[in-house]
Amino acid sequence: MVKTDPDQARNDLTFVANCIKIIAVLLKPILPSYCRRVEEILRLGNLTWEDAKFDLQNHEIGTFDKLLERLEPGALEKLVELGRQEGIEKVAQPVPELPPFKDEITIEDFGGMDIRAAKVMSAEIVEGSDKLLKLEVDLGHEIRTVLAGIKGSYEPSELLNKTVLVVANLKPRKMRFGVSHGMILAAADKTGKVAVCEVDSSIPAGTPIK
């Protein structure tokens, strides 16, 4: 058409250039670096939403530069299949070795445990102990001292203001470094890494856990 009808060819190319400009405006929030290269080719400044209109006329543009590589046939399918295989490998990872379940108990057995939400008021290292931290926890009715073997997993400051779960009616246990008036519930993996059980901080101290 450039040879047979140059005026129509110029109009068509102007239309295309305007379309490219508008598409670049729309894509810019998502693909900013790509659209900057389009701006350079079109010899335009910083495109904004105000530029989303057909206003290029008698405008000299720069030399075309290939911005993207076309996907070869089957390339997308290969990417999908690769992602599927990676997903299968993740699912197929071995399950961590876990201890067997303990013997069954009745609802009455469980009901005998008084588990409460408790807010950690203070935490400190127990001098001379490799495992223990000394916690002062608010159980609503009273403040109690609990010795917890979590020193290897937490710095004392990390526990402050956490709302943890405490077995409140456990018989006080006399230990070498003092007496523990309760037990904090926690999960531990086979490496000894411990994570204390928490509830949302909006739960009042002393709230029963059922």
Side-chain angles (χ1 to χ4, degrees):
M1 189 182 292
V2 171
K3 295 181 179 179
T4 60
D5 192 347
D7 289 336
Q8 184 60 46
R10 186 178 298 106
N11 289 336
D12 289 348
L13 290 173
T14 299
F15 176 80
V16 170
N18 276 287
C19 289
I20 291 173
K21 184 193 70 168
I22 294 173
I23 292 172
V25 170
L26 298 175
L27 287 178
K28 195 169 183 179
I30 305 169
L31 301 171
S33 60
Y34 174 84
C35 292
R36 277 196 297 271
R37 295 172 67 189
V38 174
E39 291 171 345
E40 293 172 0
I41 292 174
L42 294 180
R43 292 184 177 175
L44 297 172
N46 183 28
L47 290 174
T48 67
W49 291 110
E50 298 296 326
D51 297 308
K53 54 189 176 183
F54 284 82
D55 61 355
L56 291 183
Q57 189 73 27
N58 297 319
H59 175 76
E60 183 178 351
I61 65 175
T63 304
F64 171 76
D65 184 22
K66 192 174 183 180
L67 302 181
L68 294 175
E69 293 293 335
R70 177 179 296 180
L71 285 176
E72 295 297 327
L76 185 59
E77 288 78 6
K78 290 180 181 178
L79 288 174
V80 172
E81 178 63 20
L82 180 61
R84 190 181 72 85
Q85 291 296 332
E86 289 179 351
I88 293 174
E89 291 176 1
K90 290 180 180 179
V91 173
Q93 289 179 352
V95 177
E97 184 178 346
L98 301 172
F101 291 116
K102 296 181 179 180
D103 294 338
E104 288 184 350
I105 63 172
T106 66
I107 190 65
E108 288 77 17
D109 293 329
F110 178 77
M113 298 177 62
D114 189 0
I115 304 174
R116 302 284 182 127
K119 186 172 183 179
V120 180
M121 308 301 292
S122 68
E124 60 184 59
I125 294 173
V126 176
E127 294 296 334
S129 174
D130 295 331
K131 298 182 179 180
L132 296 177
L133 291 180
K134 179 181 177 181
L135 309 181
E136 298 291 329
V137 298
D138 180 4
L139 281 164
H141 298 301
E142 59 186 70
I143 306 294
R144 288 194 191 176
T145 299
V146 176
L147 299 178
I150 56 176
K151 182 179 179 180
S153 301
Y154 289 94
E155 293 294 329
S157 60
E158 295 179 298
L159 295 165
L160 290 179
N161 298 316
K162 285 185 180 293
T163 302
V164 298
L165 302 185
V166 172
V167 181
N169 64 336
L170 190 66
K171 184 177 179 179
R173 181 185 177 191
K174 188 175 182 180
M175 306 171 71
R176 176 186 171 189
F177 299 98
V179 179
S180 182
H181 297 272
M183 181 174 67
I184 292 179
L185 299 185
D189 62 21
K190 63 181 180 181
T191 68
K193 180 70 174 179
V194 175
V196 297
C197 297
E198 300 179 56
V199 293
D200 192 273
S201 59
S202 64
I203 302 299
T207 300
I209 307 299
K210 301 178 180 181

